[in-house]
Amino acid sequence: MIVVLLGPPGAGKGTQSGTMVKKYGLCPISTGDIFRSNLNAGTALGLEARSYMSEGLLVPDELVVRLVIDRLSQPDAQNGVLLDGFPRTVFQAEELAGFLAAHGKSVTCCLLLDIPEKELMVRLTGRRVCRGCSSVWHLTFSPPPTDSVCPYCGGEIHQRDDDGEAAASNRLRVYQAQTYPVIAWYEERGLLKKIPASGSPQEVEKTINKALE
Ligand code: ADP
Ligand code: ZN
């Protein structure tokens, strides 16, 4: 099973990806996480992606596609994959389809986490993340037990650079302009399943499970 998880920034892709990976034994591939860990480790890839990410812009297609194809070729990605944050442009969607076809594979379905745009800024700017284990909280909806220390790993709870007002609103604009067409792309191919994503994580999870049955 090769599942694409699509949706605007703040729709809850990271949260749902965590539960789906466990339930279905999928190999998670999150381009955002890959870039962030490269950034933390100070690699060349991290340095290259940095300026785009902090502004809320997309990293250039060629770079992302190379990275994902490389990741998809590794042994742990041969028995089911969950793609989170990729593809984000029609070019990326086409490159992915081409690569999979060349290996006798294809995307099983694309789940769209569907949520009214007006809810997204609140979700993004209130989000807090653990530097250690990437656990996610929200100041209003699911506040961490203490302000700055992660209860799971003791790591520092902080706000992602790109969750500030300016970068967050840029990310929403970029989604509208560049990722919106990807929805139609999967819809035209009969692969799109819309998942209402305004509810609680548990409600969204149930809908996803039904869609994957
Ligand atoms: P979001 O919470 O906005 O969905 P991600 O964690 O998926 O964010 O990604 C963070 C940043 O990493 C993006 O704003 C972008 O700069 C870069 N990025 C991640 N995936 C891609 C992609 N498929 N194409 C281009 N840039 C990407
Ligand atoms: Zn932690």
Side-chain angles (χ1 to χ4, degrees):
M1 183 157 75
I2 299 175
V3 180
V4 169
L5 195 53
L6 196 63
K13 295 189 297 293
T15 305
Q16 294 305 326
S17 151
T19 28
M20 288 170 69
V21 159
K22 285 196 207 105
K23 185 169 164 78
Y24 298 99
L26 301 172
C27 171
I29 301 182
S30 157
T31 42
D33 285 351
I34 296 176
F35 288 132
R36 274 185 294 277
S37 62
N38 274 276
L39 228 153
N40 289 339
T43 67
L45 178 69
L47 283 178
E48 212 174 333
R50 177 191 209 138
S51 57
Y52 301 102
M53 291 179 75
S54 62
E55 307 249 318
L57 304 174
L58 292 187
V59 174
D61 275 340
E62 287 74 18
L63 187 66
V64 189
V65 168
R66 233 190 308 132
L67 178 91
V68 172
I69 285 183
D70 184 60
R71 185 68 189 82
L72 282 170
S73 308
Q74 288 164 20
D76 64 331
Q78 304 314 307
N79 297 310
V81 170
L82 179 63
L83 288 162
D84 160 9
F86 181 93
R88 247 179 168 88
T89 63
V90 168
F91 179 83
Q92 292 177 13
E94 277 170 353
E95 292 289 307
L96 172 66
F99 171 79
L100 292 175
H103 293 78
K105 299 181 181 177
S106 60
V107 166
T108 315
C109 72
C110 170
L111 302 174
L112 172 66
L113 297 187
D114 208 11
I115 177 166
E117 203 189 327
K118 61 179 192 314
E119 295 179 30
L120 295 172
M121 272 309 271
V122 181
R123 283 196 179 196
L124 288 173
T125 53
R127 171 159 71 179
R128 297 294 182 271
V129 185
C130 171
R131 278 194 203 277
C133 67
S134 302
S135 294
V136 178
W137 286 273
H138 192 282
L139 292 183
T140 320
F141 307 132
S142 58
T146 61
D147 264 5
S148 58
V149 182
C150 174
Y152 304 125
C153 77
E156 185 204 351
I157 295 176
H158 77 125
Q159 181 178 44
R160 256 168 63 171
D161 267 2
D162 58 353
D163 276 346
E165 289 279 335
S169 81
N170 255 343
R171 281 155 67 207
L172 293 174
R173 265 202 300 270
V174 166
Y175 179 81
Q176 290 287 351
Q178 286 169 274
T179 309
Y180 226 73
V182 177
I183 302 174
W185 196 90
Y186 280 111
E187 196 160 33
E188 283 159 18
R189 285 156 185 81
L191 294 171
L192 192 75
K193 298 192 179 185
K194 284 191 188 167
I195 311 289
S198 298
S200 70
Q202 292 76 16
E203 284 164 344
V204 178
E205 191 189 326
K206 273 193 199 144
T207 321
I208 289 180
N209 290 339
K210 273 196 208 121
L212 290 179
E213 262 168 21

